[in-house]
Amino acid sequence: MRAFRIGLAATWILACGSPSESTSGEDGGKSDATFAGAPDGAAEASGDAGSPIDATTAPARDGASGGVADSGPPSTDASADADLPGWTLTWSDEFDEPDGSAVDPTKWAHEVGGTGWGNQELEYYTDGTANAVVTGGNLVITATAAGASSLSCWYGPCQYTSARLKTEGLFAQAYGRFEARIQLPAGQGLWPAFWTLGDNISSVSWPACGEIDIMEAVDGEPLRNHGSLHGPVSPGSSTSYNLTGTAPATTTPLSTSFHTYAVEWDPGTVRFLVDDVAYETQTTASLTQNAANGVWEFDHPFFILLNVAVGGNFPGPPDAAAVFPQAMKVDWVRVYERAD
């Protein structure tokens, strides 16, 4: 997830070495904010960066209602919905298990703990169905205060629990289209994310593994999604660059409806999209422009992560108006490769 404060990379290095932490990357404290990619609202030729994303700008694919105003139920025809011209589906989870099911253990693993995850986050990630469960055709990741105080976090008794899932060791792919249809939680201090890390993280650590943040949002900006790339500012550096852009504002908060968040990743290029509207492109050239010695770490397989953090350096803590529990609903996650 988006690295947000200069100097916090050192926190990540310490955390990564802790035996209580997973070898997977932390949610933040990973980048040097000196380096910025596309400015907020940056867009390609697909649209006016200053205009809100509207349902009329997003084409519907076969079997899907499409458009950013889409807040309907999960798709009932997964095979038709997954049909994407020019792409071949290589991996997916439609979350179509019976209500109350845990996530498929052949596709997802839980990360567990309340270490702060390099960002001074407040949640404890659990591995049960209380915080990550399939219901109504969705994966529901819930952040809640209920029962949290019985667990120990880096700051003392925990205030919140949530879930963080990954495909590390189960699935990874280099290049292609990675996408998910998600309805976000709402409230100050919530930090949901759909992102990827290089599958070589256990051997090279972060940021040398690379990181692609496909969906990253905070309720202080309820209408916008952030898309980012992170990698080392120079060979062997433990400090990350932050190539980032922000999607044009939606017409209603992202928590009120489902949206499709995606990247299209090719050698030397990563394009970011919301509801099939491209808003940001990062390339080896944009890296050189923003971080002359930065290393492009996006030419090897990456695995997927889904989580809802609470508090931390990006969103700040929940305020008095924040209401819990809050849930992120994921209709599906799909990965494609370009068709021959």
Side-chain angles (χ1 to χ4, degrees), residues 28-43:
K30 299 186 241 182
S31 70
D32 184 334
T34 302
F35 302 113
D40 286 355

Side-chain angles (χ1 to χ4, degrees), residues 14-219:
L14 292 173
C16 187
S18 170
S20 64
E21 298 257 354
S22 165
T23 56
S24 293
E26 303 300 333
D27 284 346
K30 299 186 241 182
S31 70
D32 184 334
T34 302
F35 302 113
D40 286 355
E44 293 190 328
S46 55
D48 176 6
S51 301
I53 295 178
D54 183 79
T56 59
T57 66
R61 68 180 64 171
D62 291 345
S65 52
V68 299
D70 178 14
S71 58
S75 304
T76 56
D77 186 351
S79 61
D81 193 32
D83 184 21
L84 194 59
W87 299 91
T88 300
L89 188 70
T90 57
W91 184 94
S92 70
D93 197 337
E94 305 295 327
F95 304 112
D96 53 5
E97 295 87 356
D99 286 2
S101 297
V103 292
D104 185 343
T106 69
K107 295 182 177 181
W108 301 98
H110 286 264
E111 295 200 280
V112 177
T115 59
W117 301 94
N119 295 296
Q120 297 182 313
E121 296 167 25
L122 303 177
E123 80 290 330
Y124 186 103
Y125 289 126
T126 73
D127 61 357
T129 55
N131 295 101
V133 65
V134 175
T135 186
N138 294 316
L139 165 64
V140 180
I141 296 179
T142 299
T144 181
S149 61
S150 65
L151 299 167
S152 295
C153 285
W154 62 272
Y155 52 86
C158 298
Q159 298 177 40
Y160 308 95
T161 61
S162 186
R164 172 164 153 156
L165 306 174
K166 63 178 181 178
T167 67
E168 184 180 19
L170 300 169
F171 172 79
Q173 180 173 304
Y175 313 129
R177 179 176 169 114
F178 291 63
E179 65 175 12
R181 184 172 183 261
I182 303 173
Q183 183 172 358
L184 303 188
Q188 167 58 33
L190 273 295
W191 186 1
F194 164 46
W195 52 303
T196 69
L197 285 167
D199 72 347
N200 59 346
I201 188 170
S202 62
S203 59
V204 303
S205 194
W206 187 96
C209 63
E211 175 180 340
I212 304 173
D213 297 325
I214 304 168
M215 180 280 292
E216 191 171 21
V218 294
D219 204 63

Side-chain angles (χ1 to χ4, degrees), residues 280-297:
E280 173 192 1
T281 297
Q282 300 292 352
T283 66
T284 52
S286 62
L287 172 59
T288 301
Q289 180 181 359
N290 288 280
N293 297 314
V295 183
W296 184 263
E297 297 286 4

Side-chain angles (χ1 to χ4, degrees), residues 1-13 26-36 116-121 188-189 191 206-207 211 213 216 218 220-221 226 228 230-231 233 238-244 311-317:
M1 292 168 61
R2 186 180 185 183
F4 205 71
R5 293 290 187 270
I6 297 172
L8 284 176
T11 304
W12 155 251
I13 295 300
E26 303 300 333
D27 284 346
K30 299 186 241 182
S31 70
D32 184 334
T34 302
F35 302 113
W117 301 94
N119 295 296
Q120 297 182 313
E121 296 167 25
Q188 167 58 33
W191 186 1
W206 187 96
E211 175 180 340
D213 297 325
E216 191 171 21
V218 294
E221 298 176 305
H226 300 266
S228 306
H230 302 295
V233 295
S238 61
T239 301
S240 167
Y241 55 75
N242 181 32
L243 295 177
T244 190
N313 300 302
F314 190 6

